[in-house]
Amino acid sequence: MSAETYRFHEFDIPVDLLNLTGGGIDTFDVIAAAHMTGLSQFIGISPNHSILEIGCGIGRDAIPLTKILSPEGKYLGVDIIERSVNFCNENIKAKYKNFDFIHYDVADQLHNPTGTTKTTGITLPIEDHSIDRVIAWSVFTHLYEVDIRHYLKEFQRVLKPDGVGYVTMFVVDDAILESARKTNLTPFNLRFEHPLTDNCFINDPAFPLGAIAYKREALQAMIADAGLGLKRDFLRGAWSGYYPNPEDGQDVMIICQHEGAV
C-alpha cells in the first residue's frame, strides 16, 4: 500500500476517491462495519438478494457485500463521480461478475459541478419490481424535494412487493433543531438555521446542497405520494444529539411498498 491508496479487504483504494465517499481513512472501516450492522439489523441481507445502491462511491458498502451475496445475488451501484464508478468496475466488477456500477453525469454543486443532466432525468436500467433492497446513505441529505420525489418513484417502480429500502436523511422538528444547534456534534456544523421552505432547512446558503434537512411530515408526504410506505418509524440519528439511544449516525427511513407499510 502506498501513501496514495488505502487497503480495504483485497482492494487498494485511491485515497482521494475514498475521501469523496466521506469519512476519510481514519473512519472508513468503522463506517463500513456500521453500515453492514445497520443493514443486517433493520432490513436484512440474504445471499440471493438483488441490491440497488444510490451513491455507491468507491464501494464502501459494495466491497463488504461481496462477502455476503452469493453468485445468485446481484448488486448495482450508481454514482455521479465518474472516477469512482470506473474504479469499482475495473476492480470490484472485474472480480465479482454479479456486481455492476453505472455513472450518471448529474450536475451536483459539490461533487460534479460540470454535470450535464439532472436527477429527474434518470431512469434506472432496472426491470420493474425486481429489487429486494435499496440502499442510499447520505444521498437524500443533499437533495432538493423534487429530486427526492423522483428517486422515491423510481424506488417504488423497482422494489419487489416485499422489498425494502434503507435511506438516510436529516429529519427535524423544533426540538431536534434546538438540540442540534446546542450540541453541534458533527464536524459539519449541522445547525440548519436557514429555512428553504416551511418544511426544509439548509445549513449553508452558499452551498445549499451541502446538507439539507426536512420535517417528518414533509418526508411522510413524499413517501406516500410515491406509492411507498414506512416499514417502521424513522430510525433515530445520532447527529443532532436529541435521541438518548440513536440507531444510526443519520436518521433513516425504512421504505417499502405501500401494502407492506405499518
Side-chain angles (χ1 to χ4, degrees):
M1 183 184 75
S2 73
E4 290 76 34
T5 62
Y6 179 78
R7 188 75 173 178
F8 183 61
H9 293 263
E10 69 265 46
F11 298 101
D12 292 319
I13 301 172
V15 170
D16 65 325
L17 292 181
L18 182 150
N19 289 335
L20 290 177
T21 297
I25 61 175
D26 292 338
T27 59
F28 193 81
D29 292 66
V30 172
I31 292 173
H35 284 189
M36 293 303 107
T37 297
L39 294 178
S40 175
Q41 180 177 356
F42 294 110
I43 65 173
I45 302 292
S46 295
N48 63 344
H49 272 165
S50 293
I51 297 176
L52 165 68
E53 181 174 15
I54 306 298
C56 63
I58 44 68
R60 178 164 53 196
D61 296 326
I63 292 170
L65 285 170
T66 64
K67 314 306 176 189
I68 298 173
L69 293 184
S70 72
E72 287 71 41
K74 294 181 180 179
Y75 170 99
L76 175 64
V78 176
D79 207 276
I80 65 173
I81 301 174
E82 187 172 17
R83 286 182 58 224
S84 295
V85 171
N86 290 343
F87 171 86
C88 291
N89 279 320
E90 292 166 5
N91 292 272
I92 304 170
K93 181 181 179 181
K95 187 169 184 178
Y96 299 94
K97 304 304 182 184
N98 55 335
F99 280 65
D100 201 0
F101 303 86
I102 59 174
H103 169 249
Y104 284 104
D105 192 28
V106 172
D108 177 83
Q109 188 181 28
L110 296 177
H111 295 112
N112 195 31
T114 62
T116 58
T117 189
K118 297 180 179 180
T119 297
T120 51
I122 291 175
T123 300
L124 298 167
I126 298 171
E127 294 182 4
D128 294 358
H129 308 307
S130 63
I131 294 293
D132 294 290
R133 299 290 184 264
V134 170
I135 305 168
W137 255 289
S138 296
V139 175
F140 284 23
T141 54
H142 305 288
L143 294 181
Y144 293 127
E145 179 174 337
V146 63
D147 299 317
I148 290 175
R149 287 182 175 275
H150 178 77
Y151 267 132
L152 288 174
K153 288 179 181 178
E154 277 291 275
F155 295 168
Q156 193 281 330
R157 180 182 68 81
V158 304
L159 275 172
K160 292 180 179 180
D162 60 348
V164 295
Y166 193 104
V167 181
T168 72
M169 289 291 310
F170 295 123
V171 184
V172 297
D173 57 25
D174 290 345
I176 293 171
L177 287 173
E178 181 181 2
S179 175
R181 293 164 186 171
K182 183 187 303 181
T183 59
N184 201 18
L185 295 178
T186 78
F188 308 108
N189 196 32
L190 296 175
R191 303 173 63 83
F192 296 113
E193 294 179 320
H194 308 281
L196 190 63
T197 69
D198 289 342
N199 295 310
C200 175
F201 300 82
I202 58 175
N203 211 46
D204 183 352
F207 297 96
L209 293 179
I212 299 182
Y214 290 89
K215 288 186 177 179
R216 176 185 302 260
E217 296 79 9
L219 290 168
Q220 289 170 328
M222 295 180 216
I223 294 167
D225 289 348
L228 296 167
L230 288 172
K231 197 73 176 176
R232 51 157 292 165
D233 196 11
F234 291 94
L235 300 187
R236 300 163 295 190
W239 69 273
S240 66
Y242 179 73
Y243 298 108
N245 297 298
E247 296 151 306
D248 200 310
Q250 298 175 355
D251 307 301
V252 185
M253 47 191 192
I254 308 294
I255 57 172
C256 61
Q257 298 288 13
H258 177 73
E259 293 77 9
V262 295

